[in-house]
Amino acid sequence: MAAAPGARWYNAVWRWHFYAGLFCMPFVLWLAATGTIYLWKPQIEAWLERPYDTLTPSGPRASADAQVRVALAAVPGATLHKYQLPERPSEAARVIVGKDGDETRVYVDPYRLRVLATEAESARPMRVISELHGKFRAGNPGSYLVEIAACWTVTMLLTGLYLWWPRRARGLAGVLYPRLRSGKRVFWRDLHAVAGIWVAALALFLISTGLPWAKFWGSYFKEVRTVTGTLDGPQDWPTGARSAMLGDHAEHGGMGMPHVATEGAELDRVVAAAYPLGIAPPVLIAPPATKGAAWTVTSDAANRSLRTRITVDGTTGALVSRRDFAERHWLDRAVGYGIAAHEGALFGLANQLLGTLTALLLATLSVSGAVMWWRRRPQGLLGAPIPLSRPRYGPLLIGTLLLLALAMPLFGATLALVAFVDRLLLPRWTAARQWLGLSPIDA
């Protein structure tokens, strides 16, 4: 007896949800863990750098030029890349210098002109966490893998919402909160479904705001903007792997300039000009790539809506240009707000707590799904939902898939690969078909 069309659809969606979840679960757990750590970056960095923020002033503070000379002496052969404007008298100077394609952060006591510590930018704890989160510290290949997992997580969440949608439910038990006294099987099912419904919208937001960083999608987005004429200057976010020498603000390609006497005088003039401008900290001052060009002063505030980019004439200290966040293209502003929320910086502590809750719910979703799979898995088999028969693909489903493939090209490419394997390889691979739980009608 043939299954009803509704049952066929439900079963087919369940299978796609199962396979997408099985692939995504380890990635979701990894991203939830590393993302949670990064959410608390301000507090973690403040704790790690407390030895350099509690100096006792002794006499006048040395000039920025003198501080940079001490930093350069600590890394022979290096050039100045960025000088971070101090916020308080008790702060050590942060000078970022570059050599052989790498950047080093040098902490300098501005009162005694001595080096307190040096640290490779690529080895800073929060930089490491960021690289682990977005690329597994594997460069562009890692970025591609994370992006594929993110795209398929969207599939997992959308199919999960379809499965969760209450059809014969009475009351909110098992829909908005789990039933605790109906046995282990119902508990794990409810925990999985309820965590999914509460986290779905937040998770979709996190995925969409994380895609601009991804190598493939970020480049794709940039190309679309170029074609449509909406690209408005350099992006304020990196895509894919980046050289440590370039950092987050690569206005001048990370070139730097040899620190000579005239440059030192220019730096002091730029510092004097930058302080009264009220730029959101941390403020980074970068030398020009060519002698005589303007210096760049940028805000590196975690809340990107506060960021500003200014250029200053080093010979006179005069302001050459200023561009605030509000003056950028609306697409840049939208992405900026999204990234700030993604990183937990848009609305302070509440943003961090909401991000942490989202990560915990995603971890709960993954763990409960794994437990459900393990408990019902037949010995020696994957334990996928048993197929009933192949439903016909209507125009709504095909249209949805095409839209998702257009919005997320890596999803479209991997979906095509899965379809190729499903239609052409599995029918000829009996052992794999049996292990996956596929019947001849599905292959």
Side-chain angles (χ1 to χ4, degrees), residues 25 59 78 94 148-149 154 172 176 178 183 191 217 234 236 246 251 253 272 304 306 337 367 385 399 409 411 425 441:
M25 267 189 263
R94 274 82 163 168
I148 290 171
V154 172
L172 300 179
L176 296 182
L191 185 64
W217 199 92
D236 191 34
L246 296 179
E251 296 92 348
R304 291 167 185 256
L306 303 177
Y337 281 121
V367 171
F411 167 74
L425 295 185
I441 192 172

Side-chain angles (χ1 to χ4, degrees), residues 226-354:
T226 301
V227 171
T228 57
T230 57
L231 190 63
D232 184 23
Q235 292 183 158
D236 191 34
W237 62 91
T239 55
R242 63 173 183 245
S243 168
M245 194 169 180
L246 296 179
D248 292 331
H249 294 279
E251 296 92 348
H252 309 297
M255 294 292 292
M257 290 178 60
H259 192 75
V260 295
T262 54
E263 185 192 357
E266 289 187 6
L267 174 59
D268 288 331
R269 278 192 285 271
V270 174
V271 168
Y275 264 119
L277 297 176
I279 306 170
V283 177
L284 302 175
I285 300 175
T290 57
K291 190 173 178 60
W295 290 63
T296 304
V297 182
T298 52
S299 165
D300 197 35
N303 184 350
R304 291 167 185 256
S305 65
L306 303 177
R307 289 188 174 185
T308 298
R309 185 180 186 274
I310 293 170
T311 56
V312 177
D313 186 337
T315 59
T316 64
L319 182 67
V320 176
S321 67
R322 174 167 184 161
R323 195 177 195 200
D324 295 326
F325 180 83
E327 298 173 275
R328 297 189 65 85
H329 192 277
W330 72 266
L331 281 173
D332 292 287
R333 298 199 305 272
V335 173
Y337 281 121
I339 290 176
H342 187 104
E343 294 184 324
L346 187 60
F347 46 95
L349 180 61
N351 196 163
Q352 292 176 295
L353 292 172
L354 184 61

